[in-house]
Amino acid sequence: AQTVTQSQPEMSVQEAETVTLSCTYDTSESDYYLFWYKQPPSRQMILVIRQEAYKQQNATENRFSVNFQKAAKSFSLKISDSQLGDAAMYFCAYKGDQFYFGTGTSLTVIP
Amino acid sequence: ETGVTQTPRHLVMGMTNKKSLKCEQHLGHNAMYWYKQSAKKPLELMFVYNFKEQTENNSVPSRFSPECPNSSHLFLHLHTLQPEDSALYLCASSQVSGGATNEKLFFGSGTQLSVL
């Protein structure tokens, strides 16, 4: 089975600064999708950004961007100009035959 | 109306109780999922329903029984649970088409279950 590893259980960032969350995955497939989901205290997981493995260009969504390194099986999330509302658990996910999730990174934003 | 609604938000039950979790999606999706979320663990896929047919059952104990009466509703019936079953149970939905892998999951806010 595919595995997704998030090696940073907790991260913190100063408001307005930039933070990068790490994610690595293990797969032998060539066609797959990668996701970052955000889970705020309301508990509802919200899709932040998605990357198709066949695309070399890194996905961006406003202040959120990814650094996708397919050969290294790395998929990090960069949050620019961090805001208080960015504080949440962030989950990296891999989608092949099914979804596989990491253990999450808890992000604190310091005012 | 949010896209995926789960009730109840919190549930406390004894090991001999029988209860049910409810999920409803308003997105017109054709697949629904139950996930178990425990602290410091990856989300565990429990059940998948595509077009109302169960397609995955990841070795979930029989004390968890899913029901999908239509493509908009999903239930998880609980009976004789154990304390280690205490967790956040998340429902999700997606639109599956032709076996493509580009689907996205839409989640509800979960039911926080405590088994005493």
Side-chain angles (χ1 to χ4, degrees):
Chain A
Q2 282 75 7
T3 57
V4 178
T5 301
Q6 293 180 251
S7 58
Q8 306 154 315
E10 298 177 350
M11 291 282 285
S12 62
V13 62
Q14 207 76 31
E15 193 175 5
E17 297 296 310
T18 296
V19 65
T20 299
L21 308 183
S22 301
C23 174
T24 58
Y25 58 94
D26 184 27
T27 185
S28 58
E29 298 174 341
S30 58
D31 183 24
Y32 52 89
Y33 287 77
L34 296 164
F35 303 80
W36 278 98
Y37 279 89
K38 169 185 177 182
Q39 187 179 39
S42 67
R43 303 184 325 211
Q44 185 175 27
M45 301 263 273
I46 302 164
L47 178 64
V48 174
I49 200 165
R50 184 182 74 162
Q51 173 80 41
E52 295 92 335
Y54 63 85
K55 287 189 177 179
Q56 292 186 331
Q57 185 174 7
N58 290 325
T60 62
E61 288 287 343
N62 301 314
R63 298 181 295 107
F64 298 87
S65 62
V66 298
N67 183 4
F68 174 47
Q69 302 288 328
K70 190 171 185 179
K73 298 178 183 175
S74 170
F75 183 61
S76 60
L77 174 70
K78 185 172 82 171
I79 306 174
S80 304
D81 185 26
S82 296
Q83 300 175 359
L84 296 177
D86 295 333
M89 284 289 290
Y90 286 81
F91 291 92
C92 178
Y94 166 101
K95 173 65 170 71
D97 59 328
Q98 63 171 283
F99 281 88
Y100 298 89
F101 288 83
T103 51
T105 296
S106 177
L107 179 66
T108 300
V109 180
I110 303 166
Chain B
E1 254 181 0
T2 58
V4 181
T5 304
Q6 288 188 244
T7 55
R9 188 166 173 80
H10 301 275
L11 179 62
V12 179
M13 58 187 290
M15 289 190 284
T16 58
N17 292 159
K18 290 185 180 181
K19 296 287 184 182
S20 295
L21 310 185
K22 179 182 176 182
C23 177
E24 184 175 1
Q25 58 98 359
H26 309 276
L27 301 169
H29 290 163
N30 56 17
M32 296 186 77
Y33 310 76
W34 280 116
Y35 282 90
K36 177 182 179 182
Q37 184 178 15
S38 304
K40 295 183 170 53
K41 290 185 177 181
L43 265 68
E44 299 174 47
L45 177 63
M46 300 177 72
F47 300 103
V48 179
Y49 279 84
N50 276 350
F51 303 95
K52 300 189 301 177
E53 298 295 323
Q54 184 176 309
T55 58
E56 293 284 344
N57 175 354
N58 286 346
S59 302
V60 179
S62 59
R63 57 186 183 268
F64 295 91
S65 175
E67 179 189 1
C68 187
N70 55 60
S71 59
S72 299
H73 294 84
L74 185 65
F75 296 89
L76 187 62
H77 303 299
L78 316 171
H79 64 96
T80 59
L81 293 191
Q82 304 299 310
E84 60 264 28
D85 297 322
S86 298
L88 180 66
Y89 288 84
L90 290 167
C91 174
S93 71
S94 70
Q95 182 64 27
V96 177
S97 55
T101 61
N102 62 346
E103 66 204 72
K104 293 179 282 189
L105 289 176
F106 293 79
F107 286 87
S109 297
T111 295
Q112 185 66 54
L113 175 66
S114 296
V115 181
L116 305 179

Short mmCIF file of all heavy atoms in Angstrom, two decimals, chain B residues 40-105:
data_model
loop_
_atom_site.label_atom_id
_atom_site.label_comp_id
_atom_site.label_asym_id
_atom_site.label_seq_id
_atom_site.Cartn_x
_atom_site.Cartn_y
_atom_site.Cartn_z
N LYS B 40 -2.82 11.33 15.84
CA LYS B 40 -1.47 10.91 15.43
C LYS B 40 -1.47 9.71 14.48
O LYS B 40 -0.44 9.04 14.34
CB LYS B 40 -0.60 10.62 16.64
CG LYS B 40 -0.33 11.86 17.49
CD LYS B 40 0.60 11.55 18.63
CE LYS B 40 1.06 12.82 19.34
NZ LYS B 40 0.02 13.71 19.77
N LYS B 41 -2.59 9.42 13.86
CA LYS B 41 -2.67 8.34 12.87
C LYS B 41 -3.22 8.90 11.56
O LYS B 41 -3.98 9.86 11.58
CB LYS B 41 -3.60 7.23 13.35
CG LYS B 41 -3.07 6.41 14.51
CD LYS B 41 -4.05 5.28 14.79
CE LYS B 41 -3.56 4.37 15.88
NZ LYS B 41 -4.52 3.25 16.13
N PRO B 42 -2.86 8.28 10.44
CA PRO B 42 -3.48 8.68 9.18
C PRO B 42 -4.96 8.34 9.19
O PRO B 42 -5.39 7.43 9.90
CB PRO B 42 -2.75 7.84 8.14
CG PRO B 42 -1.53 7.33 8.81
CD PRO B 42 -1.86 7.21 10.26
N LEU B 43 -5.71 9.06 8.39
CA LEU B 43 -7.12 8.72 8.25
C LEU B 43 -7.24 7.28 7.74
O LEU B 43 -6.52 6.87 6.84
CB LEU B 43 -7.81 9.65 7.23
CG LEU B 43 -8.53 10.86 7.78
CD1 LEU B 43 -7.56 11.85 8.38
CD2 LEU B 43 -9.36 11.52 6.70
N GLU B 44 -8.15 6.54 8.36
CA GLU B 44 -8.36 5.16 7.96
C GLU B 44 -9.65 5.04 7.17
O GLU B 44 -10.73 5.38 7.67
CB GLU B 44 -8.48 4.26 9.20
CG GLU B 44 -7.28 4.23 10.10
CD GLU B 44 -7.56 3.43 11.37
OE1 GLU B 44 -8.11 2.31 11.23
OE2 GLU B 44 -7.27 3.90 12.47
N LEU B 45 -9.55 4.56 5.94
CA LEU B 45 -10.74 4.33 5.14
C LEU B 45 -11.47 3.11 5.69
O LEU B 45 -10.89 2.04 5.85
CB LEU B 45 -10.36 4.11 3.68
CG LEU B 45 -11.50 3.79 2.73
CD1 LEU B 45 -12.48 4.95 2.66
CD2 LEU B 45 -10.96 3.43 1.35
N MET B 46 -12.76 3.27 5.96
CA MET B 46 -13.56 2.17 6.49
C MET B 46 -14.44 1.56 5.39
O MET B 46 -14.41 0.36 5.17
CB MET B 46 -14.44 2.66 7.64
CG MET B 46 -13.69 3.24 8.81
SD MET B 46 -14.78 3.88 10.08
CE MET B 46 -15.45 2.37 10.76
N PHE B 47 -15.24 2.40 4.77
CA PHE B 47 -16.19 1.91 3.77
C PHE B 47 -16.27 2.89 2.61
O PHE B 47 -16.14 4.09 2.80
CB PHE B 47 -17.59 1.74 4.37
CG PHE B 47 -17.66 0.78 5.51
CD1 PHE B 47 -17.74 1.25 6.82
CD2 PHE B 47 -17.66 -0.58 5.29
CE1 PHE B 47 -17.82 0.37 7.89
CE2 PHE B 47 -17.73 -1.48 6.35
CZ PHE B 47 -17.80 -1.00 7.65
N VAL B 48 -16.51 2.33 1.41
CA VAL B 48 -16.74 3.14 0.22
C VAL B 48 -17.99 2.63 -0.46
O VAL B 48 -18.17 1.41 -0.62
CB VAL B 48 -15.57 3.06 -0.77
CG1 VAL B 48 -15.87 3.91 -2.00
CG2 VAL B 48 -14.28 3.49 -0.13
N TYR B 49 -18.84 3.54 -0.86
CA TYR B 49 -20.00 3.20 -1.67
C TYR B 49 -19.92 3.98 -2.98
O TYR B 49 -19.85 5.21 -2.97
CB TYR B 49 -21.31 3.56 -0.96
CG TYR B 49 -21.75 2.53 0.05
CD1 TYR B 49 -21.23 2.53 1.34
CD2 TYR B 49 -22.66 1.55 -0.29
CE1 TYR B 49 -21.63 1.58 2.26
CE2 TYR B 49 -23.06 0.59 0.62
CZ TYR B 49 -22.53 0.62 1.90
OH TYR B 49 -22.93 -0.33 2.81
N ASN B 50 -19.90 3.25 -4.10
CA ASN B 50 -19.99 3.85 -5.43
C ASN B 50 -21.34 3.49 -6.00
O ASN B 50 -21.68 2.31 -6.09
CB ASN B 50 -18.90 3.30 -6.35
CG ASN B 50 -17.60 4.02 -6.19
OD1 ASN B 50 -17.53 5.05 -5.53
ND2 ASN B 50 -16.56 3.48 -6.78
N PHE B 51 -22.11 4.50 -6.40
CA PHE B 51 -23.43 4.25 -6.96
C PHE B 51 -24.25 3.34 -6.04
O PHE B 51 -24.93 2.42 -6.48
CB PHE B 51 -23.34 3.61 -8.36
CG PHE B 51 -22.56 4.41 -9.35
CD1 PHE B 51 -21.23 4.16 -9.57
CD2 PHE B 51 -23.18 5.43 -10.05
CE1 PHE B 51 -20.51 4.91 -10.48
CE2 PHE B 51 -22.46 6.19 -10.95
CZ PHE B 51 -21.12 5.92 -11.18
N LYS B 52 -24.16 3.60 -4.75
CA LYS B 52 -24.88 2.88 -3.69
C LYS B 52 -24.38 1.45 -3.45
O LYS B 52 -24.89 0.77 -2.58
CB LYS B 52 -26.39 2.82 -3.97
CG LYS B 52 -27.08 4.15 -4.08
CD LYS B 52 -28.58 3.99 -4.14
CE LYS B 52 -29.01 3.14 -5.31
NZ LYS B 52 -30.47 2.91 -5.33
N GLU B 53 -23.38 1.00 -4.18
CA GLU B 53 -22.85 -0.34 -3.96
C GLU B 53 -21.55 -0.26 -3.17
O GLU B 53 -20.67 0.54 -3.51
CB GLU B 53 -22.59 -1.04 -5.30
CG GLU B 53 -23.84 -1.25 -6.15
CD GLU B 53 -24.82 -2.19 -5.50
OE1 GLU B 53 -24.38 -3.17 -4.86
OE2 GLU B 53 -26.04 -1.94 -5.60
N GLN B 54 -21.45 -1.12 -2.16
CA GLN B 54 -20.24 -1.09 -1.36
C GLN B 54 -19.09 -1.69 -2.16
O GLN B 54 -19.20 -2.81 -2.67
CB GLN B 54 -20.45 -1.88 -0.06
CG GLN B 54 -19.26 -1.81 0.89
CD GLN B 54 -19.52 -2.51 2.20
OE1 GLN B 54 -20.54 -2.26 2.85
NE2 GLN B 54 -18.65 -3.40 2.60
N THR B 55 -17.99 -0.95 -2.27
CA THR B 55 -16.86 -1.43 -3.05
C THR B 55 -15.62 -1.66 -2.20
O THR B 55 -14.69 -2.29 -2.64
CB THR B 55 -16.50 -0.43 -4.17
OG1 THR B 55 -16.20 0.83 -3.59
CG2 THR B 55 -17.66 -0.28 -5.14
N GLU B 56 -15.56 -1.13 -1.02
CA GLU B 56 -14.41 -1.33 -0.15
C GLU B 56 -14.88 -1.62 1.26
O GLU B 56 -15.84 -1.03 1.73
CB GLU B 56 -13.54 -0.06 -0.09
CG GLU B 56 -12.84 0.30 -1.38
CD GLU B 56 -11.64 -0.57 -1.65
OE1 GLU B 56 -11.17 -1.24 -0.74
OE2 GLU B 56 -11.18 -0.56 -2.81
N ASN B 57 -14.23 -2.51 1.90
CA ASN B 57 -14.46 -2.77 3.31
C ASN B 57 -13.13 -3.17 3.89
O ASN B 57 -12.72 -4.32 3.83
CB ASN B 57 -15.50 -3.88 3.52
CG ASN B 57 -15.67 -4.25 4.99
OD1 ASN B 57 -14.95 -3.75 5.85
ND2 ASN B 57 -16.62 -5.10 5.28
N ASN B 58 -12.40 -2.20 4.39
CA ASN B 58 -11.01 -2.44 4.78
C ASN B 58 -10.91 -3.17 6.11
O ASN B 58 -10.41 -2.64 7.09
CB ASN B 58 -10.25 -1.10 4.81
CG ASN B 58 -9.97 -0.58 3.42
OD1 ASN B 58 -10.10 -1.30 2.44
ND2 ASN B 58 -9.62 0.67 3.33
N SER B 59 -11.43 -4.40 6.12
CA SER B 59 -11.30 -5.25 7.30
C SER B 59 -11.83 -4.57 8.55
O SER B 59 -11.20 -4.62 9.61
CB SER B 59 -9.83 -5.64 7.51
OG SER B 59 -9.34 -6.30 6.37
N VAL B 60 -12.95 -3.92 8.39
CA VAL B 60 -13.56 -3.24 9.53
C VAL B 60 -14.35 -4.25 10.35
O VAL B 60 -15.06 -5.09 9.80
CB VAL B 60 -14.51 -2.13 9.02
CG1 VAL B 60 -15.18 -1.42 10.19
CG2 VAL B 60 -13.74 -1.13 8.17
N PRO B 61 -14.23 -4.18 11.68
CA PRO B 61 -14.98 -5.13 12.53
C PRO B 61 -16.48 -5.06 12.28
O PRO B 61 -17.02 -3.99 11.95
CB PRO B 61 -14.64 -4.66 13.95
CG PRO B 61 -13.34 -3.93 13.82
CD PRO B 61 -13.37 -3.29 12.46
N SER B 62 -17.15 -6.17 12.48
CA SER B 62 -18.58 -6.25 12.17
C SER B 62 -19.44 -5.42 13.12
O SER B 62 -20.63 -5.24 12.86
CB SER B 62 -19.03 -7.71 12.23
OG SER B 62 -18.79 -8.25 13.52
N ARG B 63 -18.85 -4.90 14.18
CA ARG B 63 -19.63 -4.01 15.06
C ARG B 63 -19.91 -2.66 14.39
O ARG B 63 -20.69 -1.86 14.90
CB ARG B 63 -18.91 -3.81 16.40
CG ARG B 63 -17.50 -3.26 16.30
CD ARG B 63 -16.88 -3.26 17.70
NE ARG B 63 -15.53 -2.68 17.71
CZ ARG B 63 -14.42 -3.40 17.55
NH1 ARG B 63 -14.49 -4.71 17.36
NH2 ARG B 63 -13.24 -2.80 17.58
N PHE B 64 -19.27 -2.43 13.24
CA PHE B 64 -19.58 -1.27 12.41
C PHE B 64 -20.32 -1.78 11.17
O PHE B 64 -19.80 -2.61 10.43
CB PHE B 64 -18.31 -0.55 11.95
CG PHE B 64 -17.52 0.08 13.06
CD1 PHE B 64 -16.52 -0.65 13.70
CD2 PHE B 64 -17.78 1.37 13.48
CE1 PHE B 64 -15.79 -0.09 14.73
CE2 PHE B 64 -17.06 1.94 14.50
CZ PHE B 64 -16.05 1.22 15.12
N SER B 65 -21.51 -1.24 10.94
CA SER B 65 -22.32 -1.71 9.82
C SER B 65 -22.79 -0.52 9.00
O SER B 65 -23.56 0.31 9.49
CB SER B 65 -23.53 -2.48 10.36
OG SER B 65 -24.40 -2.84 9.31
N PRO B 66 -22.34 -0.39 7.75
CA PRO B 66 -22.76 0.75 6.94
C PRO B 66 -24.06 0.47 6.21
O PRO B 66 -24.46 -0.67 5.99
CB PRO B 66 -21.61 0.88 5.93
CG PRO B 66 -21.17 -0.53 5.72
CD PRO B 66 -21.37 -1.24 7.05
N GLU B 67 -24.72 1.56 5.86
CA GLU B 67 -25.94 1.47 5.06
C GLU B 67 -25.99 2.67 4.13
O GLU B 67 -25.78 3.80 4.57
CB GLU B 67 -27.19 1.46 5.95
CG GLU B 67 -28.50 1.41 5.17
CD GLU B 67 -29.71 1.61 6.06
OE1 GLU B 67 -29.54 1.81 7.28
OE2 GLU B 67 -30.83 1.62 5.51
N CYS B 68 -26.28 2.42 2.86
CA CYS B 68 -26.36 3.51 1.88
C CYS B 68 -27.66 3.35 1.10
O CYS B 68 -27.67 2.71 0.05
CB CYS B 68 -25.15 3.48 0.95
SG CYS B 68 -25.04 4.91 -0.16
N PRO B 69 -28.76 3.93 1.59
CA PRO B 69 -30.06 3.73 0.94
C PRO B 69 -30.18 4.43 -0.41
O PRO B 69 -30.97 3.99 -1.25
CB PRO B 69 -31.04 4.33 1.96
CG PRO B 69 -30.23 5.30 2.75
CD PRO B 69 -28.84 4.73 2.80
N ASN B 70 -29.44 5.51 -0.60
CA ASN B 70 -29.42 6.21 -1.89
C ASN B 70 -28.10 6.97 -2.00
O ASN B 70 -27.33 7.01 -1.04
CB ASN B 70 -30.64 7.14 -2.02
CG ASN B 70 -30.75 8.11 -0.87
OD1 ASN B 70 -29.85 8.91 -0.63
ND2 ASN B 70 -31.86 8.02 -0.12
N SER B 71 -27.89 7.61 -3.11
CA SER B 71 -26.58 8.24 -3.35
C SER B 71 -26.35 9.47 -2.49
O SER B 71 -25.24 10.00 -2.47
CB SER B 71 -26.42 8.59 -4.82
OG SER B 71 -27.46 9.48 -5.22
N SER B 72 -27.37 9.94 -1.78
CA SER B 72 -27.21 11.15 -0.97
C SER B 72 -27.06 10.87 0.51
O SER B 72 -26.69 11.77 1.26
CB SER B 72 -28.42 12.08 -1.15
OG SER B 72 -28.53 12.49 -2.48
N HIS B 73 -27.38 9.67 0.95
CA HIS B 73 -27.39 9.36 2.37
C HIS B 73 -26.51 8.16 2.69
O HIS B 73 -26.48 7.17 1.96
CB HIS B 73 -28.82 9.07 2.85
CG HIS B 73 -29.72 10.27 2.80
ND1 HIS B 73 -30.39 10.64 1.64
CD2 HIS B 73 -30.03 11.20 3.75
CE1 HIS B 73 -31.09 11.74 1.89
NE2 HIS B 73 -30.90 12.09 3.14
N LEU B 74 -25.83 8.27 3.82
CA LEU B 74 -24.96 7.20 4.29
C LEU B 74 -25.09 7.12 5.79
O LEU B 74 -25.10 8.15 6.47
CB LEU B 74 -23.51 7.49 3.89
CG LEU B 74 -22.46 6.43 4.20
CD1 LEU B 74 -22.72 5.16 3.39
CD2 LEU B 74 -21.06 6.97 3.89
N PHE B 75 -25.20 5.89 6.29
CA PHE B 75 -25.29 5.68 7.73
C PHE B 75 -24.18 4.75 8.18
O PHE B 75 -23.67 3.93 7.41
CB PHE B 75 -26.65 5.04 8.10
CG PHE B 75 -27.84 5.90 7.79
CD1 PHE B 75 -28.45 5.85 6.54
CD2 PHE B 75 -28.35 6.77 8.75
CE1 PHE B 75 -29.56 6.65 6.26
CE2 PHE B 75 -29.45 7.56 8.47
CZ PHE B 75 -30.05 7.51 7.23
N LEU B 76 -23.82 4.89 9.45
CA LEU B 76 -22.90 3.95 10.07
C LEU B 76 -23.55 3.49 11.37
O LEU B 76 -23.70 4.27 12.31
CB LEU B 76 -21.55 4.60 10.34
CG LEU B 76 -20.45 3.66 10.84
CD1 LEU B 76 -20.14 2.58 9.79
CD2 LEU B 76 -19.17 4.43 11.17
N HIS B 77 -23.99 2.24 11.38
CA HIS B 77 -24.66 1.68 12.55
C HIS B 77 -23.60 1.08 13.47
O HIS B 77 -22.71 0.33 13.03
CB HIS B 77 -25.68 0.62 12.13
CG HIS B 77 -26.70 1.14 11.16
ND1 HIS B 77 -27.57 2.17 11.47
CD2 HIS B 77 -26.98 0.78 9.88
CE1 HIS B 77 -28.35 2.42 10.43
NE2 HIS B 77 -28.01 1.60 9.46
N LEU B 78 -23.74 1.41 14.75
CA LEU B 78 -22.74 1.02 15.75
C LEU B 78 -23.38 0.13 16.81
O LEU B 78 -24.47 0.45 17.30
CB LEU B 78 -22.17 2.26 16.43
CG LEU B 78 -21.81 3.45 15.52
CD1 LEU B 78 -21.47 4.67 16.37
CD2 LEU B 78 -20.67 3.08 14.60
N HIS B 79 -22.72 -0.95 17.16
CA HIS B 79 -23.22 -1.78 18.27
C HIS B 79 -22.09 -2.51 18.94
O HIS B 79 -21.13 -2.94 18.29
CB HIS B 79 -24.29 -2.76 17.76
CG HIS B 79 -23.77 -3.76 16.78
ND1 HIS B 79 -23.38 -5.04 17.15
CD2 HIS B 79 -23.57 -3.69 15.47
CE1 HIS B 79 -22.99 -5.71 16.08
NE2 HIS B 79 -23.09 -4.90 15.05
N THR B 80 -22.20 -2.64 20.24
CA THR B 80 -21.20 -3.29 21.10
C THR B 80 -19.79 -2.81 20.77
O THR B 80 -18.87 -3.60 20.52
CB THR B 80 -21.26 -4.82 21.01
OG1 THR B 80 -21.06 -5.24 19.66
CG2 THR B 80 -22.58 -5.32 21.52
N LEU B 81 -19.62 -1.48 20.77
CA LEU B 81 -18.31 -0.92 20.48
C LEU B 81 -17.36 -1.08 21.67
O LEU B 81 -17.78 -1.35 22.79
CB LEU B 81 -18.44 0.56 20.12
CG LEU B 81 -19.17 0.89 18.82
CD1 LEU B 81 -18.99 2.36 18.47
CD2 LEU B 81 -18.72 0.01 17.66
N GLN B 82 -16.09 -0.88 21.37
CA GLN B 82 -15.03 -0.96 22.37
C GLN B 82 -14.47 0.45 22.62
O GLN B 82 -14.55 1.32 21.74
CB GLN B 82 -13.91 -1.88 21.88
CG GLN B 82 -14.38 -3.28 21.50
CD GLN B 82 -14.98 -3.99 22.69
OE1 GLN B 82 -14.38 -4.04 23.77
NE2 GLN B 82 -16.17 -4.54 22.53
N PRO B 83 -13.85 0.67 23.76
CA PRO B 83 -13.27 2.00 24.03
C PRO B 83 -12.27 2.44 22.96
O PRO B 83 -12.21 3.64 22.66
CB PRO B 83 -12.58 1.81 25.39
CG PRO B 83 -13.38 0.74 26.06
CD PRO B 83 -13.79 -0.20 24.95
N GLU B 84 -11.57 1.52 22.34
CA GLU B 84 -10.60 1.90 21.29
C GLU B 84 -11.27 2.37 20.01
O GLU B 84 -10.59 2.85 19.08
CB GLU B 84 -9.65 0.74 20.98
CG GLU B 84 -10.31 -0.52 20.46
CD GLU B 84 -10.57 -1.53 21.56
OE1 GLU B 84 -10.74 -1.12 22.74
OE2 GLU B 84 -10.60 -2.74 21.25
N ASP B 85 -12.58 2.25 19.94
CA ASP B 85 -13.31 2.77 18.79
C ASP B 85 -13.58 4.27 18.93
O ASP B 85 -14.11 4.90 18.00
CB ASP B 85 -14.64 2.03 18.62
CG ASP B 85 -14.45 0.56 18.31
OD1 ASP B 85 -13.50 0.23 17.57
OD2 ASP B 85 -15.25 -0.26 18.82
N SER B 86 -13.27 4.84 20.07
CA SER B 86 -13.43 6.28 20.26
C SER B 86 -12.54 7.02 19.27
O SER B 86 -11.34 6.76 19.19
CB SER B 86 -13.05 6.67 21.69
OG SER B 86 -13.89 6.04 22.62
N ALA B 87 -13.15 7.91 18.50
CA ALA B 87 -12.43 8.62 17.44
C ALA B 87 -13.37 9.62 16.79
O ALA B 87 -14.56 9.69 17.13
CB ALA B 87 -11.92 7.64 16.38
N LEU B 88 -12.84 10.36 15.83
CA LEU B 88 -13.66 11.22 14.99
C LEU B 88 -14.00 10.44 13.72
O LEU B 88 -13.10 9.93 13.05
CB LEU B 88 -12.89 12.49 14.64
CG LEU B 88 -13.62 13.50 13.75
CD1 LEU B 88 -14.83 14.10 14.47
CD2 LEU B 88 -12.67 14.61 13.29
N TYR B 89 -15.28 10.33 13.43
CA TYR B 89 -15.71 9.60 12.24
C TYR B 89 -16.15 10.62 11.19
O TYR B 89 -17.09 11.39 11.40
CB TYR B 89 -16.83 8.62 12.57
CG TYR B 89 -16.28 7.46 13.37
CD1 TYR B 89 -16.12 7.55 14.74
CD2 TYR B 89 -15.87 6.30 12.73
CE1 TYR B 89 -15.55 6.51 15.47
CE2 TYR B 89 -15.31 5.24 13.45
CZ TYR B 89 -15.15 5.36 14.81
OH TYR B 89 -14.59 4.33 15.53
N LEU B 90 -15.45 10.59 10.08
CA LEU B 90 -15.67 11.55 9.01
C LEU B 90 -16.36 10.89 7.83
O LEU B 90 -16.01 9.78 7.42
CB LEU B 90 -14.34 12.14 8.53
CG LEU B 90 -13.61 13.07 9.49
CD1 LEU B 90 -12.20 13.31 9.01
CD2 LEU B 90 -14.35 14.38 9.63
N CYS B 91 -17.32 11.58 7.30
CA CYS B 91 -17.99 11.18 6.07
C CYS B 91 -17.46 12.06 4.94
O CYS B 91 -17.15 13.24 5.15
CB CYS B 91 -19.49 11.35 6.22
SG CYS B 91 -20.46 11.04 4.72
N ALA B 92 -17.35 11.49 3.76
CA ALA B 92 -16.91 12.26 2.61
C ALA B 92 -17.68 11.80 1.38
O ALA B 92 -18.24 10.70 1.35
CB ALA B 92 -15.41 12.10 2.37
N SER B 93 -17.71 12.66 0.38
CA SER B 93 -18.32 12.28 -0.89
C SER B 93 -17.43 12.74 -2.04
O SER B 93 -16.56 13.60 -1.85
CB SER B 93 -19.73 12.88 -1.03
OG SER B 93 -19.66 14.29 -1.22
N SER B 94 -17.63 12.13 -3.20
CA SER B 94 -16.88 12.53 -4.38
C SER B 94 -17.68 12.14 -5.61
O SER B 94 -18.63 11.35 -5.54
CB SER B 94 -15.50 11.89 -4.42
OG SER B 94 -15.59 10.50 -4.67
N GLN B 95 -17.27 12.69 -6.74
CA GLN B 95 -17.87 12.33 -8.02
C GLN B 95 -16.88 11.44 -8.74
O GLN B 95 -15.79 11.89 -9.11
CB GLN B 95 -18.19 13.58 -8.84
CG GLN B 95 -18.86 13.29 -10.16
CD GLN B 95 -20.23 12.65 -9.99
OE1 GLN B 95 -20.91 12.85 -8.98
NE2 GLN B 95 -20.64 11.87 -10.97
N VAL B 96 -17.25 10.19 -8.93
CA VAL B 96 -16.41 9.23 -9.60
C VAL B 96 -16.91 9.06 -11.02
O VAL B 96 -18.12 8.84 -11.23
CB VAL B 96 -16.44 7.87 -8.87
CG1 VAL B 96 -15.59 6.84 -9.62
CG2 VAL B 96 -15.96 8.02 -7.45
N SER B 97 -16.00 9.14 -11.99
CA SER B 97 -16.42 8.98 -13.38
C SER B 97 -15.40 8.15 -14.13
O SER B 97 -14.24 8.51 -14.23
CB SER B 97 -16.58 10.35 -14.06
OG SER B 97 -15.40 11.09 -13.95
N GLY B 98 -15.84 7.03 -14.63
CA GLY B 98 -15.04 6.19 -15.51
C GLY B 98 -13.74 5.69 -14.90
O GLY B 98 -12.78 5.44 -15.62
N GLY B 99 -13.68 5.58 -13.58
CA GLY B 99 -12.48 5.06 -12.95
C GLY B 99 -11.33 6.03 -12.92
O GLY B 99 -10.22 5.67 -12.55
N ALA B 100 -11.56 7.28 -13.28
CA ALA B 100 -10.47 8.28 -13.26
C ALA B 100 -10.02 8.53 -11.83
O ALA B 100 -10.80 8.40 -10.89
CB ALA B 100 -10.95 9.57 -13.90
N THR B 101 -8.79 8.88 -11.68
CA THR B 101 -8.27 9.11 -10.34
C THR B 101 -8.29 10.57 -9.95
O THR B 101 -7.73 10.93 -8.94
CB THR B 101 -6.83 8.59 -10.25
OG1 THR B 101 -6.03 9.31 -11.19
CG2 THR B 101 -6.75 7.12 -10.53
N ASN B 102 -8.92 11.43 -10.75
CA ASN B 102 -8.83 12.85 -10.46
C ASN B 102 -9.97 13.36 -9.61
O ASN B 102 -10.26 14.54 -9.60
CB ASN B 102 -8.79 13.64 -11.78
CG ASN B 102 -10.05 13.44 -12.58
OD1 ASN B 102 -10.83 12.54 -12.31
ND2 ASN B 102 -10.26 14.29 -13.56
N GLU B 103 -10.59 12.47 -8.84
CA GLU B 103 -11.69 12.93 -8.01
C GLU B 103 -11.16 13.65 -6.77
O GLU B 103 -10.02 13.46 -6.35
CB GLU B 103 -12.56 11.75 -7.59
CG GLU B 103 -11.84 10.78 -6.68
CD GLU B 103 -12.44 9.39 -6.72
OE1 GLU B 103 -12.25 8.72 -7.74
OE2 GLU B 103 -13.07 9.00 -5.74
N LYS B 104 -12.02 14.48 -6.19
CA LYS B 104 -11.70 15.19 -4.97
C LYS B 104 -12.69 14.79 -3.90
O LYS B 104 -13.87 14.59 -4.19
CB LYS B 104 -11.78 16.70 -5.21
CG LYS B 104 -10.74 17.25 -6.16
CD LYS B 104 -10.90 18.74 -6.38
CE LYS B 104 -12.03 19.04 -7.33
NZ LYS B 104 -12.05 20.47 -7.71
N LEU B 105 -12.22 14.68 -2.68
CA LEU B 105 -13.08 14.36 -1.57
C LEU B 105 -13.62 15.64 -0.94
O LEU B 105 -12.88 16.60 -0.74
CB LEU B 105 -12.33 13.57 -0.50
CG LEU B 105 -11.95 12.13 -0.83
CD1 LEU B 105 -11.11 11.55 0.30
CD2 LEU B 105 -13.19 11.29 -1.06
#
